[in-house]
């Protein structure tokens, strides 16, 4: 058996331990593993290497992905798809494990449906916006990076009595921002799923200062609005020092947390087993600490219910 493995979309901490688990599990089963470099673009260009347990030694604690990755929107077009079909034929693959987020799962579905290639997906994205699993690989690490950063910002915010707007990643889904806010006791959280009125935000911050608060932390998900705009508007209304921190890609890098290392190792192992069991067109998930298999399809949008629930919980906590 010849298994291809690819990491696609935005990287997340834990992709390496997932790769390691796939290679080692496949190797123990006597399969050959072909690592596709630079995600879908590398697949289109036939960029690959043979992987052995030696190729994945020492990567359990390394951030990013040793296979590297690439945004490849061309896969949605005919011109972008044709070279991928060619590589799959040339490499004579019997199946693939795709590690990535919703965009990669759309690609994986295409591989199964259009080329009949057995594929299993492993959810890896700091957004944690993929249904079928409690956690995606990289979310825990990104959350902890954001918490650490906001804790540090709070120290200086309190010293100066300032307001800080901290922008957290998440263009379409606000869970990372919501959980960062809950875990840091932030005064405000602005999410793409919940419309907000900047006058109300300013009023609540003002009331907080009147009650004796020494600072205000406003966590903004990338998709809720530009931190620079929110900073400017708050400064205008409150006539106080407002500073801004954009965490950006810092949240995607660094060593995976212990949680992500274990999650990734379990998922990588199970995904490979599923291929050998002949179950494909599916993704592996872990729900309530048990493996769960679900369809790769219809993964593009998740209900924001979880985010709303977290946000409501936060209202009670502040
Ligand atoms: O999907 C993961 C993610 O980190 C989002 O949170 C963010 O909006 C996006 O990727 C950023 O993408 P890029 O690295 O292409 O700028």
């Amino acid at each position: 058996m010849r298994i291809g493995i690819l990491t696609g979309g935005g990287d997340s901490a834990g992709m390496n331990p997932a790769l390691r688990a796939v290679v080692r599990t496949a190797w123990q089963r006597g399969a050959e593993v072909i690592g596709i470099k630079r995600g879908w673009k590398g697949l289109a260009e036939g960029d690959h290497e043979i992987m052995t347990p030696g190729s994945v030694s020492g990567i359990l604690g390394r951030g990013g992905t040793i296979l590297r990755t690439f945004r490849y929107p061309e896969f949605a077009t005919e011109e972008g798809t044709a070279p991928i079909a060619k590589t799959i034929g040339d490499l004579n693959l019997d199946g693939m494990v795709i590690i990535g987020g919703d965009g990669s799962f759309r690609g994986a579905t295409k591989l199964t449906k259009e080329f009949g290639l057995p594929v299993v997906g492993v959810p890896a994205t700091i957004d944690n916006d993929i249904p079928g699993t409690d956690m995606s690989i990289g979310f825990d690490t990104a959350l902890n990076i954001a918490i650490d950063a906001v804790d540090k910002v709070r120290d200086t915010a309190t010293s100066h009595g300032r307001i800080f707007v901290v922008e957290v990643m998440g263009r379409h889904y606000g869970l990372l921002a919501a959980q960062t806010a809950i875990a840091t006791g932030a005064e405000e959280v602005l999410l793409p799923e919940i419309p907000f009125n900047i006058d109300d935000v300013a009023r609540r911050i003002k009331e907080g200062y009147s009650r004796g608060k020494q600072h205000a932390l406003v966590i903004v998900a990338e998709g809720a609005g530009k931190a620079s705009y929110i900073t400017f508007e708050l400064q205008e209304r409150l006539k106080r020092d407002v500073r801004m921190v954009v965490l950006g890609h810092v949240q995607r890098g660094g060593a995976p947390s212990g949680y992500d290392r274990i999650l990734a190792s379990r998922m990588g192992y199970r995904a490979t087993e599923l291929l050998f069991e002949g179950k494909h067109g599916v993704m592996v998930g872990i729900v309530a600490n048990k493996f769960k298999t679900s369809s790769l399809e219809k993964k593009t949008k998740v209900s924001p219910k979880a985010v709303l629930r977290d946000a409501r919980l936060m209202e009670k906590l502040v």
Side-chain angles (χ1 to χ4, degrees):
M1 190 153 167
R2 240 179 162 212
I3 296 176
I5 177 164
L6 170 156
T7 50
D11 62 351
S12 68
M15 280 183 160
N16 278 332
L19 276 173
R20 174 180 178 270
V22 173
V23 172
R24 289 168 64 120
T25 308
W27 188 263
Q28 276 160 22
R29 293 266 202 158
E32 197 180 356
V33 185
I34 309 290
I36 309 295
K37 297 181 183 175
R38 294 180 300 123
W40 299 102
K41 188 170 169 66
L43 188 61
E45 294 173 0
D47 192 3
H48 67 278
E49 67 178 29
I50 292 178
M51 298 186 86
T52 65
S55 338
V56 291
S57 99
I59 67 168
L60 195 53
R62 261 174 74 181
T65 157
I66 59 162
L67 279 180
R68 305 181 60 211
T69 182
F70 208 94
R71 299 275 188 204
Y72 186 68
E74 294 87 343
F75 196 13
T77 67
E78 256 179 53
E79 302 77 61
T81 305
I84 286 183
K86 181 174 180 311
T87 307
I88 287 169
D90 290 350
L91 291 178
N92 208 9
L93 296 176
D94 297 305
M96 277 190 86
V97 176
I98 307 290
I99 303 170
D102 57 356
S104 296
F105 283 7
R106 277 195 295 280
T109 304
K110 210 167 161 172
L111 291 187
T112 297
K113 288 206 153 178
E114 292 185 19
F115 315 141
L117 186 72
V119 172
V120 177
V122 175
T125 162
I126 68 160
D127 293 339
N128 200 19
D129 59 348
I130 300 180
T133 188
D134 288 341
M135 293 282 269
S136 60
I137 296 167
F139 179 76
D140 181 68
T141 305
L143 178 62
N144 281 296
I145 291 171
I147 290 170
D148 185 47
V150 174
D151 283 348
K152 285 173 177 147
V153 164
R154 179 198 284 101
D155 290 343
T156 176
T158 311
S159 302
H160 287 261
R162 280 174 173 155
I163 299 158
F164 267 83
V165 175
V166 183
E167 187 182 297
V168 172
M169 268 195 164
R171 249 194 307 250
H172 307 294
Y173 197 58
L175 187 66
L176 187 57
Q179 295 208 341
T180 300
I182 291 166
T184 58
E187 278 64 29
E188 295 287 329
V189 58
L190 309 179
L191 308 176
E193 294 84 1
I194 307 173
F196 66 92
N197 179 323
I198 195 76
D199 289 321
D200 292 340
V201 176
R203 180 183 42 76
R204 287 194 297 263
I205 291 176
K206 200 170 172 187
E207 286 167 6
Y209 275 108
S210 334
R211 288 199 308 274
K213 276 193 185 256
Q214 300 298 315
H215 64 246
L217 295 171
V218 182
I219 309 297
V220 186
E222 210 184 340
K226 282 260 160 268
S228 51
Y229 160 78
I230 292 154
T231 303
F232 175 80
E233 296 296 327
L234 290 178
Q235 184 120 32
E236 285 292 291
R237 283 164 179 74
L238 294 164
K239 305 289 178 227
R240 272 183 175 270
D241 267 355
V242 188
R243 295 286 192 270
M244 171 184 95
V245 176
V246 178
L247 293 183
H249 291 78
V250 166
Q251 296 154 101
R252 285 234 300 256
S257 65
Y259 183 94
D260 273 325
R261 293 179 198 199
I262 292 163
L263 180 75
S265 301
R266 291 177 75 191
M267 284 182 165
Y269 154 78
R270 184 66 192 131
T272 318
E273 289 285 302
L274 284 168
L275 265 188
F276 281 99
E277 287 167 19
K279 297 193 184 99
H280 36 80
V282 294
M283 64 161 260
V284 60
I286 297 182
V287 175
N289 207 27
K290 290 203 170 61
F291 285 122
K292 185 187 159 185
T293 306
S294 59
S295 163
L296 269 174
E297 280 191 89
K298 298 194 186 101
K299 297 270 174 216
T300 50
K301 197 62 202 158
V302 188
S303 153
K305 267 189 193 156
V307 184
L308 293 166
R309 189 193 58 221
D310 283 350
R312 273 195 217 109
L313 168 66
M314 201 191 143
E315 272 168 29
K316 287 187 196 136
L317 292 179
V318 292

